[in-house]
Amino acid sequence: MKTQWVKGLQPGHDVATYFGIFDMSIGKTKSGAKFLKLLIGDRTGTVEGRVWDPALAEDLYRELSPGDVAIVHGTVTEFNGLQVNIEVCLKADKSELDLNDFRPVTERDIPEMRAKFTSLAGRVSDPHLKRLLEAVFTPGFLDSFSTATAARQVHHAYGGGLLEHTLEVMEYCSKVIEVQGERLNGDLLLTGAVLHDVGKLWEYDQSGLTFRRTGVGQLLGGHVILGHDFLREKLAEIEGFPEGLALHLDHLILSHHGQREWGAVEEPRTIEAVALHHADLMSARINQVGQMVKSHKGPDAWTSFDRRLGRSIYVPEKKAEQRGDGL
Ligand SMILES: [Fe+2]
Ligand SMILES: [Fe+2]
């Protein structure tokens, strides 16, 4: 269990806890002695680490790699910012730890989102779609799904982001079902919302401390194709799944990005596919802009220009907060 967090470190503190290793290199002091420079951290931030014992520095440089988690014992000092002088550093077994302690993570409560996800998905009453969802979301699968990221950057790019985004899309789709009623197949739309980004489990390296695209993710068409392939495999396991329904569901996955230049294999050509695409876009965009607003600092009322979005965002209330006049 992690007991100390980077955010709470103060000069003079003794440290004895797990940290992620984000970067490491060998340096030399003025007298020529080798030391190990590390960037260690957790979900609250990163801090420089130093191993001054030359023999230990070389051993650790051989034994550890960025992406590992280690138990670190040391003392916090102040030298151009905080620094941890490390006396002991032992590689830990990542499989026994919650990786989301060591990387950016959702601000929302994962067990609470998981409960909502299960209850909303439970509204699907079509027996075939119900069987499909039960076949996919085994407890182990749901565990991996709940801690995964939805992206490397742009939107929901943090542990738990895939669940948060999927839940938002499901909630937006539920609203569409409420408003549009009989005009669309609600069970189909909701199932599409649940499954639309499932391929992200394999598109991104979900076991690392930083989220990178996997070889499979880069070479095989990203999560749209990976999700579609996964769905095909699962459908083949379910006896008597109607071909027409499978075709609709396939189309939902393949078209959810809306446009070919955004990664869709096909443009949405059913009413449910149009609805899913807009729900997906709404969740992604609001999160993207929300992150820009949240990370915006300084007295300017405009965020810096976002290349992907093609614009800056107006944040007048931040400026007012900083002026302290509330205007
Ligand atoms: Fe997607
Ligand atoms: Fe999505």
Side-chain angles (χ1 to χ4, degrees):
M1 263 279 283
K2 199 163 156 56
T3 50
Q4 289 167 296
W5 300 91
V6 167
K7 210 175 162 187
L9 296 182
Q10 300 279 349
H13 274 182
D14 285 335
V15 164
T17 193
Y18 293 99
F19 283 117
I21 312 285
F22 291 92
D23 198 14
M24 53 192 293
S25 60
I26 290 280
K28 269 190 184 171
T29 62
K30 277 184 191 145
S31 62
K34 285 184 179 171
F35 67 94
L36 186 63
K37 271 170 83 168
L38 295 147
L39 185 66
I40 57 178
D42 54 44
R43 66 174 145 90
T44 70
T46 54
V47 63
E48 292 284 331
R50 295 286 183 273
V51 177
W52 296 111
D53 177 331
L56 181 61
E58 287 203 62
D59 283 353
L60 290 175
Y61 189 67
R62 268 196 305 274
E63 285 164 21
L64 294 171
S65 319
D68 286 342
V69 173
I71 299 173
V72 173
H73 289 237
T75 315
V76 184
T77 57
E78 181 125 42
F79 183 75
N80 292 333
L82 289 186
Q83 191 172 291
V84 181
N85 287 333
I86 299 170
E87 283 113 43
V88 177
C89 188
L90 297 169
K91 187 170 166 172
D93 179 359
K94 284 204 290 188
S95 67
E96 307 209 327
L97 297 161
D98 180 356
L99 283 187
N100 283 345
D101 280 348
F102 303 96
R103 55 193 191 187
V105 69
T106 175
E107 287 175 358
R108 294 181 61 182
D109 184 66
I110 291 181
E112 209 175 276
M113 287 197 288
R114 193 172 155 149
K116 261 191 175 171
F117 170 90
T118 308
S119 126
L120 211 47
R123 286 194 198 165
V124 172
S125 60
D126 176 279
H128 303 292
L129 294 172
K130 215 177 166 57
R131 276 185 67 196
L132 171 65
L133 290 180
E134 281 163 8
V136 172
F137 286 91
T138 58
F141 190 90
L142 189 52
D143 283 346
S144 314
F145 188 82
S146 302
T147 54
T149 185
R152 205 162 45 86
Q153 40 198 16
V154 187
H155 78 94
H156 300 90
Y158 39 74
L162 181 58
L163 176 63
E164 183 182 320
H165 167 63
T166 303
L167 184 57
E168 283 175 16
V169 176
M170 289 162 71
E171 286 174 322
Y172 290 140
C173 285
S174 298
K175 276 286 161 204
V176 177
I177 294 164
E178 200 183 303
V179 174
Q180 297 296 333
E182 304 284 290
R183 284 195 196 93
L184 42 75
N185 180 339
D187 276 359
L188 182 63
L189 176 56
L190 198 52
T191 307
V194 173
L195 294 171
H196 82 283
D197 271 344
V198 91
K200 288 186 170 185
L201 286 173
W202 307 285
E203 177 171 4
Y204 302 104
D205 174 13
Q206 304 289 1
S207 63
L209 298 188
T210 50
F211 301 115
R212 280 180 300 216
R213 288 182 91 205
T214 59
V216 167
Q218 291 184 73
L219 295 172
L220 299 183
H223 68 274
V224 172
I225 301 293
L226 294 171
H228 171 259
D229 289 351
F230 173 76
L231 177 67
R232 275 277 137 199
E233 261 173 46
K234 284 287 158 191
L235 288 175
E237 288 168 15
I238 300 174
E239 220 176 288
F241 197 94
E243 250 325 296
L245 195 57
L247 181 66
H248 272 292
L249 210 47
D250 274 344
H251 178 64
L252 288 179
I253 307 278
L254 292 177
S255 69
H256 79 265
H257 283 195
Q259 298 176 26
R260 289 201 173 84
E261 58 269 37
W262 293 349
V265 172
E266 189 51 79
E267 288 173 348
R269 287 171 189 268
T270 65
I271 193 162
E272 292 80 11
V274 171
L276 177 60
H277 163 57
H278 285 282
D280 184 39
L281 189 61
M282 172 115 90
S283 164
R285 278 287 153 79
I286 290 181
N287 184 269
Q288 185 182 0
V289 173
Q291 299 290 332
M292 283 170 73
V293 169
K294 198 178 134 206
S295 59
H296 177 60
K297 290 197 175 71
D300 199 340
W302 290 92
T303 68
S304 47
F305 182 82
D306 186 271
R307 193 172 41 82
R308 288 186 203 85
L309 207 59
R311 73 198 90 146
S312 300
I313 296 294
Y314 186 48
V315 203
E317 59 277 13
K318 282 238 174 175
K319 195 178 175 188
E321 259 170 46
Q322 271 142 7
R323 281 200 308 261
D325 57 12
L327 293 172

